[in-house]
Amino acid sequence: MTRTGFPRAALFDLDGTLLDSAPDMLATANRLREMQGMPPMALAQIRPHVSKGSRAMLAAAFPALDTGARDAMVPAFLQTYLQELGRHSVLFDHVEAMLRALEAAGTTWGIVTNKPEYLAREILPQLGWESRCAVLIGGDTLAEKKPHPLPLQVAAGHIGMQVADCVYVGDDERDIQAARAAGMPSIAVLWGYRQDHEDTAKWGADVVLESPIALLDPANWPQPR
């Protein structure tokens, strides 16, 4: 039987897809810059790099440092971010309504992120999601992270689903690459964190959506392959 409407299971990236965490990242970067005697940077300077991880954000915050020096700052970045976690971030518009619509339709949902698992788990209680999110896979949970398909495959198995019964939603090319490699239908979202040169049309997502409100319409979700 061909399914219509919301999928049996929905898996989401976190930062840039469900959560606008860029303000937390900005606060973190500016605390580190202050320690170096540097002026604060603007949100627009770090926002495109958030989905690329701590090293990319450090490169934006400290462009004069070489790669080795920035890599050495990663532990301090993560520790400082833990202190700022959830203090400034907000859900994107309509995300909570969308999750409630999925739950009302009987859809199981979870999160697959490249953020370290301990940081992702820290944010769940702040959002009231600790008992609602059926699975959480972080970037260090498994031996591989996105764009490898393993995190999506493990997440689907954890909630008792076939990968084809799930849809993965993300704002980064690695999200779509992981979904394609796993054989999972995907949605690329345009409200997250992208750099100017990135062309979402080349990512190969099944569906591309411009606004979170579009996820409230079951017709916008891809059907099983």
Side-chain angles (χ1 to χ4, degrees):
M1 179 180 296
T2 301
R3 176 186 59 75
T4 58
F6 290 128
R8 294 184 63 194
L11 299 172
F12 297 92
D13 177 47
L14 182 57
D15 301 304
T17 301
L18 298 176
L19 185 68
D20 187 0
S21 55
D24 285 352
M25 304 300 187
L26 178 65
T28 300
N30 280 339
R31 283 181 58 181
L32 296 180
R33 284 170 63 91
E34 184 179 13
M35 293 177 191
Q36 300 290 329
M38 300 172 65
M41 63 191 299
L43 182 61
Q45 292 175 278
I46 200 168
R47 188 177 183 85
H49 306 281
V50 171
S51 284
K52 307 301 183 186
S54 57
R55 286 173 173 80
M57 287 183 280
L58 284 166
F62 299 95
L65 296 182
D66 62 29
T67 300
R70 291 197 301 263
D71 285 351
M73 295 180 69
V74 169
F77 183 94
L78 294 176
Q79 182 59 40
T80 304
Y81 172 58
L82 182 60
Q83 297 167 14
E84 298 292 342
L85 187 69
R87 294 184 59 194
H88 318 278
S89 60
V90 294
L91 293 179
F92 287 104
D93 290 343
H94 310 293
V95 162
E96 181 58 31
M98 179 269 297
L99 293 177
R100 292 192 182 279
L102 290 177
E103 292 166 351
T107 298
T108 301
W109 66 272
I111 293 170
V112 180
T113 175
N114 276 2
K115 181 194 289 292
E117 183 181 339
Y118 77 97
L119 291 173
R121 290 204 178 277
E122 188 74 20
I123 200 73
L124 292 187
Q126 299 183 35
L127 300 171
W129 290 355
E130 64 270 35
S131 62
R132 297 168 61 193
C133 179
V135 60
L136 172 62
I137 303 291
D140 56 356
T141 304
L142 305 169
E144 302 286 352
K145 62 182 179 180
K146 300 175 296 181
H148 198 280
L150 182 64
L152 297 184
Q153 294 165 336
V154 169
H158 182 86
I159 57 178
M161 299 286 179
Q162 300 295 316
V163 292
D165 291 324
C166 306
V167 174
Y168 189 57
V169 185
D171 71 307
D172 190 83
E173 184 175 14
R174 292 171 300 177
D175 299 327
I176 308 307
Q177 290 172 335
R180 291 180 64 187
M184 185 178 293
S186 63
I187 298 175
V189 303
L190 303 185
W191 56 83
Y193 310 130
R194 297 190 323 281
Q195 299 177 10
D196 291 342
H197 65 85
E198 295 182 280
D199 183 358
T200 56
K202 296 180 179 180
W203 292 1
D206 295 282
V207 173
V208 178
L209 298 178
E210 293 187 358
S211 170
I213 199 171
L215 290 172
L216 278 165
D217 185 350
N220 288 329
W221 289 75
Q223 303 302 302
R225 294 192 178 105

